[in-house]
Amino acid sequence: MTDDLTALRATIHGKVQGVGFRYATRRRAQELGLLGWVANGPDSTVVAHIEGPPAAVEELLAYLRRGPPSAHVTDVETEQTPVEGHEQFAIRGIPAGVFVVQEHAATTHHFDLRLEVAGVMRSWALPKGPSLDPAVKRLAVEVGDHSIAHNTFEEQGRVIVWDRGTYEQGGRVPWPEALTRGHAVFVLHGQKLHGGFALQRTRAADKPQWLLIKRRDADARPGSDIVAQRPESVLSEHTLDEVLD
Ligand code: MN
């Protein structure tokens, strides 16, 4: 079935960032039944990975050379790339929602990673917390959804907001389908956690077990221990153990 598909990486030069270019590209790609992604690239370019039937790919390229009305395209470079098997046409670099990591002194001390998905905070309990070291795989036990209102909850000696920010959904599969299938890639923009992460389900059970793994990118910090280095709350700047006045 993939025999009649082609894939291209296109770099679009000109006045193309911040003028609705990515949204317009996604709209046209979806109309043409194409898959892949579009993102802002280096040096004020827009970069698109486009895969689908050759005629439709050519049609999208013709559209990109003209650009949406508010853009001014000076050049489009293309190179052939392998078909990656995308299942959506995504805009990368656009927040999908908020995330929070709470440190929780329960019966067993742990951290809770929560990602906003479809109006709730999907949650995983991490006995050792997150890591920015790609060689470290951290157990993440899926737990019940929390409300978005709980994201700022702190209680002296029991819960602190260890990190928070926004995140982008990544990968080839759209969310929440990626979570259902057990392999979800995302990019965090927090105060302590940055860059690409993957959640990989290893055991589907009553309390499904996952691994949280930092992806190898510019934000990876091999050998680091962010939990030890930055123990403070991003809201109150107190640590979990500190007695507050
Ligand atoms: Mn908890």
Side-chain angles (χ1 to χ4, degrees), residues 53-69:
V57 171
E58 274 309 313
E59 203 164 325
L60 183 62
L61 280 179
Y63 175 81
L64 294 177
R65 289 190 185 101
R66 291 192 307 275

Side-chain angles (χ1 to χ4, degrees), residues 22 38 43 51 68 85 122 124 128 143 154 182 184 198 203 205 208:
R22 289 170 298 176
V38 60
D43 304 321
E51 53 190 53
R122 295 284 299 265
W124 291 261
K128 293 185 174 174
V143 294
E154 293 200 321
R203 191 197 295 174

Side-chain angles (χ1 to χ4, degrees), residues 102-106 108-114 123-126 143 146 150 158-159:
Q102 282 158 316
E103 185 178 3
H104 186 184
T108 310
H109 171 264
H110 63 271
F111 292 76
D112 291 292
L113 167 67
R114 309 189 200 280
S123 297
W124 291 261
L126 287 77
V143 294
H146 276 57
H150 188 260
R158 212 171 70 83
V159 180

Side-chain angles (χ1 to χ4, degrees), residues 15 25 28 35 56 61 102-103 129 132 151 160 177 195 211 223 227 230:
K15 184 181 169 238
T25 301
R28 192 74 192 106
L35 303 167
L61 280 179
Q102 282 158 316
E103 185 178 3
L132 293 174
N151 287 354
I160 61 167
E177 176 70 17
L211 293 173
V227 164
R230 300 286 306 276

Side-chain angles (χ1 to χ4, degrees), residues 176-194:
E177 176 70 17
L179 287 170
T180 306
R181 290 200 206 170
H183 181 72
V185 176
F186 53 98
V187 180
L188 298 179
H189 303 286
Q191 296 182 40
K192 300 174 187 174
L193 301 179
H194 300 277

